Amino acid sequence: MADQNVLAPDEGAGTPTHDGSDDRSELRELLHAAVAAVGGVEREGQVAMAEAVAEAIADGSHLLAQAGTGTGKSLGYLVPALAHGERVVIATATLALQRQLVERDLPRTVEALHPRLRRRPEFATLKGRSNYLCLHRVHEGVPQDDPDLGAGLFDPFESASSQPSSKLGQDLLRLRDWADETESGDRDSLTPGVSDRAWSQVSVSARECLGAARCAYGPECFAEAARERAKLAEVVVTNHALLAIDALEGAPVLPSHEVLIVDEAHELVSRVTGVATGELTPGRVNRAVRLSAKLVNEKVADALQTAAESFERLMELALPGRLEPVPEDLGYALLALRDASRTVISALGTTRDSSVQDEDVVRRLALASVENVQEVAERITQGSEFDVVWFERHDRFGASLRVAPLSVSGLVREKVFSDRSVTLTSATLKLGGDFAGIGASLGLPPEGSSEEGAPVWKGLDVGSPFEYRKQGILYVAKHLERPGRDGTRKDMLDELAELVEAAGGRTLGLFSSKRAAEAAATELRGRLDVPVLLQGEETLGELIKRFAADEATCLFGSLSLWQGVDVPGAGCQLVVMDRIPFPRPDDPLATARQEAVEKAGGNGFMAVAATHAALLMAQGAGRLVRATGDRGVVAVLDPRLATARYGSYLRASMPDFWYTTDRNQVRRSLAAIDASARSDRSNG
């Protein structure tokens, strides 16, 4: 196999034996060198993971590897992937992990393995085009024909001496200066960052791009340079969204590769769903009308305008909820939009108007906008039984019409698990104690299945170096009232205040909604003498930094805090969940998926709602213990975790903390942990 040739053992090394023991020995030596290079500690679980990844790569099979926090899973897959010697794509969900891989783990690992591999593998980062600065936008500005991005927003670029007072203007000036300094043009390398609105002035989507051959700045293009680096690299680090686009949209955007590793794999299904979701709003449709109006004849433009007006009138009356079936009047409006958009697209390909400044740029913007309208309208009017259609209404942005796949498992199975070895890893892949739930969501058959042509995979739980039962307590407030659908839970807020007071602050509050987080923050700010930070009042990065810096501080928030917060030590010794985070009862997509499972004879609640909750609770509980010296409590203020039949499934998905419903015991434990932390600080 390929990795036997690439490992290049030293002269005099033994010939690999039939059982592969020399291969494993060589792999362990490589892993040991890599761990030493990054200043880590080699773990048994890390070794087991590396051997399993190497085996999956060698035989072309697939691996689901659960590796708890502190295992060192990055090196557990990097070392065997580098040793194999073929191109590998690594897809992650978060910027933090991408940076860790590219700025720390990969450089040190490559350097450490070079003497034994006798080569120095190149690595590169690749993201979607809109993540990179567009030099055409920076230097030429946004076309005035673009109704959303023009309107004088680039006035600050007209004079280097101008000092705009608006935050947007200041961001744009900083972006112009940054364009002359940056080597990558990658938005994520800009510190501090800028708003989405500012970034939209200097970036383009793949559809809006003129193309390197037609753009005056093509030879300097940051996105094209990133693609060229990726073509030459042995390791390409990307994100889940680009992986999904590569898999679903037909035209490859990632270089060909023999090995795919998906880290933070618990996020993959939701990211694929997001990429496969279409949306229409009156604003998007009207933008398509305005962009194309000057580029096509009046009759063609009027037809699209009329269809847009009919659609907008219906959207003004839209009520949130699933459309099953699509109402007849909406169906007619969408057919009109589809047909008018097709005519405009055809006309845009043949007409030219010399009076329109920067016509090629405007034409690309118009095509991208109209094509999106046409594709979504056509998809909805086709009425596929495998799609879910619904209205949403936002207080600020109004109504939107959305369409998403009923399931992405078939797409993932067909597009991801073919022609390459795939390793999926995360700290939370086993839900309810096994890999069945995650496997099914990815379209995989039961482990060990004999289904002909099915992907061959195995699951491996390499554990965690942490002693969860000694380091943490899972407390369920069994005495509280069951949470209702609406209204403030006074008994829950009383319990929360007592727990935070016993802990001396140090609390990460994970709430099921923004409203619940705001209510809890308001209540505790009036009751306790500890700082309470609230998500939304500052940038998330700044909030986490402040939370970590002051041990007495609490941080309350909703969904995005349940994952990715990494605050080891005394700053986070109490993690509180206000309720089991089931999907909203009125969530159209979750409801449709649940009904589909039930129609097929399965348990829709367990397959959809309970799996969703289990994943979030596993991730949320994982915020508590981030290092070997961490101690604390995960408190769930929802009695159903102790009393409902599904409670044991949810608890089995969380780290194996010591479990109790004794409120007095938990308060004593929190007070003892708080006293110990204060003592350590004073002695330090």
Side-chain angles (χ1 to χ4, degrees):
M1 282 169 261
D3 54 334
Q4 292 178 358
N5 296 324
V6 179
L7 288 179
D10 294 336
E11 267 187 63
T15 304
T17 58
H18 181 70
D19 65 2
S21 58
D22 277 8
D23 285 347
R24 288 194 294 273
S25 176
E26 180 73 11
L27 181 65
R28 289 188 179 211
E29 290 180 19
L30 291 170
L31 182 61
H32 182 76
V35 171
V38 301
V41 177
E42 195 170 293
R43 311 283 191 184
E44 288 184 15
Q46 186 183 54
V47 174
M49 179 177 175
E51 292 178 345
V53 172
E55 182 180 338
I57 291 174
D59 61 22
S61 62
H62 311 299
L63 175 69
L64 271 62
Q66 175 160 294
T69 305
T71 303
K73 62 178 167 49
S74 299
L75 294 186
Y77 59 70
L78 281 179
V79 171
L82 290 171
H84 182 60
E86 303 289 346
R87 180 181 283 127
V88 55
V89 167
I90 301 171
T92 75
T94 63
L95 171 61
L97 182 53
Q98 289 174 34
R99 281 182 170 165
Q100 177 188 315
L101 289 171
V102 174
E103 297 177 8
R104 192 192 75 170
D105 292 350
L106 271 166
R108 296 178 183 180
T109 301
V110 165
E111 206 57 39
L113 302 191
H114 172 238
R116 292 199 65 82
L117 295 181
R118 298 178 185 172
R119 57 187 172 82
R120 187 176 277 107
E122 297 290 329
F123 53 89
T125 304
L126 184 61
K127 303 174 184 178
R129 187 172 294 272
S130 61
N131 289 277
Y132 298 97
L133 196 76
C134 172
L135 290 172
H136 189 282
R137 278 278 176 89
V138 170
H139 295 297
E140 306 300 330
V142 177
Q144 294 301 304
D145 297 76
D146 189 327
D148 292 335
L149 300 182
L153 289 179
F154 260 67
D155 290 348
F157 280 18
E158 295 176 4
S159 170
S161 62
S162 63
Q163 293 297 325
S165 57
S166 72
K167 178 68 165 61
L168 177 62
Q170 292 167 3
D171 281 347
L172 292 175
L173 273 180
R174 189 156 65 87
L175 283 165
R176 184 188 62 179
D177 293 339
W178 182 65
D180 295 329
E181 303 167 0
T182 178
E183 295 182 3
S184 68
D186 184 342
R187 179 182 183 179
D188 293 328
S189 66
L190 175 64
T191 304
V194 295
S195 68
D196 289 345
R197 190 181 182 201
W199 185 256
S200 68
Q201 310 294 300
V202 296
S203 65
V204 295
S205 67
R207 282 183 170 179
E208 295 168 338
C209 177
L210 287 171
R214 297 171 60 193
C215 179
Y217 302 92
E220 306 166 71
C221 177
F222 293 118
E224 290 298 319
R227 294 188 70 170
E228 289 304 312
R229 287 193 296 270
K231 289 178 183 178
L232 300 174
E234 186 173 312
V235 179
V236 178
V237 179
T238 187
N239 53 43
H240 288 185
L242 195 63
L243 173 64
I245 292 170
D246 182 75
L248 302 183
E249 296 198 353
V253 293
L254 293 171
S256 62
H257 51 281
E258 294 72 27
V259 179
L260 170 64
I261 294 169
V262 183
D263 205 339
E264 302 170 310
H266 61 279
E267 288 273 12
L268 182 61
V269 168
S270 65
R271 300 300 170 98
V272 173
T273 298
V275 169
T277 296
E279 181 181 26
L280 279 181
T281 66
R284 290 189 181 190
V285 174
N286 288 329
R287 180 172 187 256
V289 171
R290 293 192 297 267
L291 282 171
S292 59
K294 292 184 179 181
L295 300 174
V296 297
N297 67 54
E298 186 175 348
K299 181 179 178 181
V300 171
D302 285 349
L304 185 58
Q305 175 72 53
T306 300
E309 290 172 353
S310 297
F311 175 72
E312 185 168 11
R313 282 195 297 270
L314 289 173
M315 294 297 285
E316 288 173 353
L317 304 173
L319 297 175
R322 185 180 178 188
L323 303 177
E324 189 185 24
V326 173
E328 189 175 11
D329 54 354
L330 178 61
Y332 284 131
L334 291 171
L335 285 171
L337 267 183
R338 180 199 67 182
D339 295 342
S341 296
R342 283 177 178 169
T343 304
V344 170
I345 291 167
S346 177
L348 284 172
T350 58
T351 60
R352 291 288 185 272
D353 187 346
S354 59
S355 68
V356 178
Q357 190 177 19
D358 297 325
E359 187 191 353
D360 279 348
V361 179
V362 177
R363 185 178 299 278
R364 292 295 297 178
L365 289 171
L367 266 174
S369 189
V370 178
E371 283 173 349
N372 176 257
V373 171
Q374 185 266 326
E375 288 171 5
V376 178
E378 180 160 30
R379 179 176 171 185
I380 296 175
T381 56
Q382 284 175 343
S384 170
E385 62 180 309
F386 302 111
D387 272 340
V388 180
V389 182
W390 73 96
F391 280 133
E392 282 190 6
R393 183 168 288 281
H394 190 280
D395 292 341
R396 180 178 174 188
F397 302 110
S400 65
L401 178 64
R402 311 195 80 192
V403 55
L406 183 60
S407 169
V408 297
S409 59
L411 289 170
V412 173
R413 172 169 168 161
E414 177 188 356
K415 302 295 187 179
V416 174
F417 294 96
S418 60
D419 303 324
R420 57 189 170 190
S421 170
V422 183
T423 291
L424 299 104
T425 184
S426 167
T428 49
L429 288 181
K430 289 177 71 174
L431 301 178
D434 59 44
F435 292 97
I438 289 290
S441 72
L442 297 166
L444 297 174
E447 186 175 0
S449 169
S450 57
E451 179 186 338
E452 186 175 353
V456 178
W457 68 280
K458 77 171 187 176
L460 173 70
D461 182 0
V462 302
S464 168
F466 302 144
E467 297 183 271
Y468 284 121
R469 293 186 69 81
K470 294 182 178 179
Q471 292 183 249
I473 297 172
L474 172 61
Y475 164 59
V476 180
K478 187 178 178 180
H479 61 283
L480 297 180
E481 294 291 328
R482 288 169 62 100
R485 190 171 292 186
D486 298 302
T488 301
R489 299 170 58 201
K490 184 178 183 305
D491 62 341
M492 184 276 289
L493 292 174
D494 291 341
E495 181 80 9
L496 174 63
E498 291 176 18
L499 290 170
V500 172
E501 187 172 27
R506 316 174 194 277
T507 301
L508 177 65
L510 306 177
F511 293 84
S512 54
S513 69
K514 180 181 178 182
R515 182 184 301 174
E518 291 171 346
T522 300
E523 181 77 14
L524 264 65
R525 283 169 174 170
R527 282 201 198 191
L528 303 180
D529 188 24
V530 295
V532 179
L533 306 176
L534 179 62
Q535 185 180 0
E537 293 183 342
E538 289 187 50
T539 64
L540 188 56
E542 181 62 27
L543 288 172
I544 293 173
K545 187 186 300 183
R546 288 179 57 189
F547 176 54
D550 181 4
E551 291 181 5
T553 298
C554 302
L555 173 59
F556 290 180
S558 52
L559 198 58
S560 58
L561 285 188
W562 289 69
Q563 309 180 69
V565 177
D566 186 8
V567 180
C572 181
Q573 295 185 331
L574 173 62
V575 174
V576 177
M577 305 179 195
D578 70 325
R579 63 191 297 165
I580 297 172
F582 292 123
R584 294 191 333 266
D586 60 349
D587 184 317
L589 187 55
T591 301
R593 288 176 169 176
Q594 192 165 315
E595 290 173 355
V597 172
E598 290 167 355
K599 286 179 181 177
N603 186 325
F605 171 78
M606 292 301 296
V608 179
T611 296
H612 173 90
L615 187 55
L616 277 177
M617 295 187 81
Q619 283 288 312
R623 301 311 98 205
L624 181 68
V625 177
R626 311 298 298 174
T628 54
D630 287 354
R631 292 188 300 155
V633 172
V634 172
V636 181
L637 308 186
D638 187 336
R640 293 175 295 177
L641 190 62
T643 60
R645 275 190 286 182
Y646 52 77
S648 59
Y649 170 80
L650 299 177
R651 295 197 304 272
S653 305
M654 301 166 74
D656 186 27
F657 296 128
W658 185 74
Y659 171 63
T660 185
T661 59
D662 186 337
R663 59 192 302 200
N664 294 321
Q665 174 62 55
V666 165
R667 282 157 179 71
R668 288 194 297 270
S669 297
L670 283 171
I673 293 170
D674 178 39
S676 176
R678 292 174 186 273
S679 175
D680 290 344
R681 187 170 65 248
S682 63
N683 291 336

